[in-house]
Amino acid sequence: MKEVFLSNCEKSFIQKIISEGHRLDGRNYNESRKLNITFGSQYGSCIVSLGETKILSQVSCEVVQPKQIRPNEGILYINVEISPMAAPQFEANRQTDLTVYLNRLLEKCYKDSKCIDLESLCIVVEEKVWSLRVDIKVLNHDGNLIECASIATLASLAHFKRPDVTRSGEKVIIHTLTEKDPIPTVLYHYPVCSTFAIFNNNILISDPSFIEESVCTSSISSEEGNISGGLLVVGMNQYKELCLLNLTGAAIYNSSIVHRAILSAADKCKSIVDLVKKTIISDDNLRQKRVKINFGDIITSDHVQSLSRKDLSICLKNFDLNEKTSPKDEVMMDDESDVELEPSKYDVVPSLPQTAEIKAKKGASTWIEISSDSEED
Amino acid sequence: MKISIGDVALPGDYCEEICEVAEKSKVIIGPGLRKEADRVYITKPGVLKKRSPCTYWVDSYQKRYVPSRGENIIGVVVQKAGDIFRVDVGGSITAALSYLSFEGATKKNRPEVQVGDVVYAKMLVASKDMEPELVCVDSHGKKGRLGVLTDGFVFKCSLNLIRKILNPSCPLLESLKNEWPFEVAAGMNGRIWIKANSMRETIAVGNAILGAEYLNDEEIKTMCNNIAAILAGHVS
């Protein structure tokens, strides 16, 4: 992979404007880019765009023999591909650190969190199970691939329907979509990743763009040694349970950052999951009315002039927006919401369904509680 | 398909007008046009343009830079290799910039260029089969406006936008320069370096330049006024 080379002046400029309370594209610190989900003609295919980052996801299934140790569970396989189409620095058909990293994160988020009922994918124990394969293809890379890829994975998994199967004695019949209605995948919960870029060890920036990502992870960020940053990925489901935490870059020596990130991720993930569910329902309704849906809709309805970008990569905070919020107020608001949100944590935790897995996560959420207490001390 | 001047052209189309003119006088065909047998074919999608008396080219939307001799470009120094610097100009390979091609540079007196610096340089050699070569001096050995650019910010944009804002008839820089002081250097390789007194003003310049891409002259003027108003409202 050819490395993207950022000049020193870009790095120092980004560092400076962020410490002054601005962002290059005029967003607030905790503001995300526009999220858009569109489904393709088949079940389980979708394109998710987060600003200019675009990811295509396709779920497919086949009947395979189960693993020896888990004879009654289906298999979930996630495959991430980044081609030169995403950005010129990538090479075709070559695994890079980034693809491995993305793959692993998505596996952690969707496989290890056990959000999919793999047992329901079983057809004949020890002989035949469904294997779901999620293919993630990055169409355009403008930062925050993880969040976009995780939304794409979730949306396509939730949208996917596998063919129905009937067993008669030894025979297994797989019905076509016209013979019998296909069965949707069972999801226990909907985990979504959200990314935060950490600047100067205390500024959290949600949904970083490509340049912000590369500046905060670059090691020689400044002549002064104390400035360091990194990328923090928080995976959460709609019940505000933590599924994944991952940090790249410099170590954090202030636990309140993680605390703040988790609190802000909780609301964000909830709204993303709501959006995913809403779009799937409206898509289902359209399909029931036999409306043809395909990716062509993106071009005809939204992007007539795909080149005339509405959101500029460099933008003033109030450009074509009337309301005025000074950056200082923004930071203040963040702190307040931290304090207010804490009690709501207590509410959410006990109201959960009482499965064994979720109890483990309960422990994880008490950890947040403890850390906040110790901080106050 | 047969097309004429001013039409939207697609690769494979051909233009007979050029051939007719070519019979009488010499014709220059620019980027996006290619003479094949007895016809002139279009090789890039865009708008077929003509400049009197007989220069033809296709104005296409492009982001990838193809080096060509004599253009001023903005590059980032990626490597120091012996007596040359390797400069990323956004082309398929890096360009070479000798340390002797700075004003007043001698073997003893090396210019101070670090890896990661941004340079504004001129393309000296740009041929198909060779590494492009840059210089930071003109033929008199003076640096003029070329050289290392300090501070400020560099961003990328399409090649069309560069041509648009460098066009003398474009009102963008004319109307911006009355609003607040700033410096700008536009490289033909689709990179623009900007610098102003404050961070907000620098962002405002970048915003104005990128916003101008799909606007006409009148709209550019109103946009510049809007941006100046936003800026003033916040500063005061």
Side-chain angles (χ1 to χ4, degrees), chain B residues 202-218:
Chain B
T202 314
I203 297 177
V205 178
N207 186 354
I209 292 175
L210 283 178
E213 181 145 23
Y214 302 102
L215 303 181
N216 60 30
D217 289 0
E218 277 308 305

Side-chain angles (χ1 to χ4, degrees), chain A residues 15 200-201 218-229 250-251 253:
Chain A
Q15 292 273 10
N200 301 351
N201 246 312
S218 65
S219 49
I220 35 150
S221 44
S222 174
E223 300 88 51
E224 302 146 50
N226 60 343
I227 292 178
S228 58
Y253 50 79

Side-chain angles (χ1 to χ4, degrees), chain B residues 68-71 96 101 121-127 132-135 137:
Chain B
S68 76
R69 191 185 142 86
E71 284 181 342
S101 55
K122 205 180 237 337
M123 234 354 135
L124 184 70
V125 176
S127 79
E133 198 181 323
L134 299 169
V135 282
V137 284

Side-chain angles (χ1 to χ4, degrees), chain A residues 125-371:
Chain A
V125 177
E126 285 184 344
E127 276 175 27
K128 290 185 180 71
V129 291
W130 285 113
S131 154
L132 294 188
R133 181 192 164 98
V134 188
D135 280 293
I136 303 283
K137 189 142 195 157
V138 181
L139 303 179
N140 196 22
H141 180 15
D142 191 25
N144 207 356
L145 282 182
I146 303 154
E147 187 169 337
C148 195
S150 83
I151 298 169
T153 314
L154 180 70
S156 56
L157 274 175
H159 185 248
F160 181 68
K161 288 182 181 175
R162 63 175 191 276
D164 201 355
V165 170
T166 44
R167 283 178 62 185
S168 53
E170 285 293 288
K171 267 206 302 193
V172 174
I173 305 159
I174 299 172
H175 298 281
T176 59
L177 300 188
T178 43
E179 280 171 13
K180 266 192 174 181
D181 279 343
I183 312 164
T185 331
V186 181
L187 288 174
Y188 291 130
H189 58 103
Y190 291 69
V192 163
C193 299
S194 54
T195 317
F196 296 91
I198 302 166
F199 279 86
N200 301 351
N201 246 312
N202 62 356
I203 301 173
L204 266 185
I205 282 182
S206 68
D207 190 14
S209 66
F210 179 70
I211 189 165
E212 285 165 344
E213 259 181 10
S214 15
V215 169
C216 84
T217 48
S218 65
S219 49
I220 35 150
S221 44
S222 174
E223 300 88 51
E224 302 146 50
N226 60 343
I227 292 178
S228 58
L231 275 181
L232 180 67
V233 181
V234 181
M236 267 202 180
N237 63 12
Q238 81 268 42
Y239 308 117
K240 299 184 180 176
E241 294 165 336
L242 206 56
C243 301
L244 165 89
L245 256 184
N246 183 290
L247 176 75
T248 45
I252 301 176
Y253 50 79
N254 186 353
S255 63
S256 75
I257 292 183
V258 184
H259 189 198
R260 252 160 56 202
I262 289 170
L263 284 176
S264 126
D267 292 332
K268 205 166 128 190
C269 292
K270 180 94 173 50
S271 63
I272 289 174
V273 170
D274 287 345
L275 180 76
V276 169
K277 281 182 177 169
K278 214 177 77 191
T279 37
I280 287 177
I281 289 169
S282 66
D283 176 82
D284 248 15
N285 288 341
L286 280 177
R287 266 169 221 268
Q288 260 158 26
K289 286 177 198 152
R290 310 251 169 219
V291 180
K292 285 232 167 95
I293 297 166
N294 52 36
F295 288 136
D297 299 345
I298 312 175
I299 303 166
T300 46
S301 57
D302 297 351
H303 292 66
V304 179
Q305 292 169 300
S306 60
L307 294 177
S308 60
R309 289 165 48 166
K310 294 256 160 44
D311 38 349
L312 303 170
S313 58
I314 301 179
C315 194
L316 280 173
K317 196 167 252 178
N318 295 341
F319 185 60
D320 72 19
L321 255 177
N322 292 324
E323 54 176 339
K324 286 180 182 175
T325 41
S326 76
K328 272 181 187 170
D329 293 347
E330 206 53 53
V331 178
M332 289 287 285
M333 291 242 298
D334 270 0
D335 292 345
E336 280 164 20
S337 60
D338 275 6
V339 180
E340 280 165 20
L341 266 171
E342 265 170 53
S344 74
K345 271 281 159 199
Y346 293 91
D347 295 340
V348 175
V349 175
S351 70
L352 292 169
Q354 309 82 351
T355 26
E357 299 148 32
I358 287 161
K359 261 185 186 160
K361 270 155 218 153
K362 214 166 162 185
S365 16
T366 44
W367 170 74
I368 306 169
E369 207 180 290
I370 291 162
S371 79

Side-chain angles (χ1 to χ4, degrees), chain A residues 5-49:
Chain A
F5 215 88
L6 276 184
S7 61
N8 296 341
C9 70
E10 280 171 282
K11 283 180 193 164
S12 57
F13 187 81
I14 298 281
Q15 292 273 10
K16 254 188 229 161
I17 55 166
I18 283 180
S19 59
E20 281 183 18
H22 303 295
R23 279 176 85 169
L24 200 59
D25 43 11
R27 281 182 285 159
N28 291 326
Y29 283 164
N30 54 358
E31 201 177 326
S32 289
R33 288 172 289 181
K34 201 167 168 279
L35 173 67
N36 201 359
I37 303 169
T38 17
F39 291 105
S41 58
Q42 280 181 324
Y43 286 120
S45 67
C46 73
I47 290 182
V48 172
S49 62

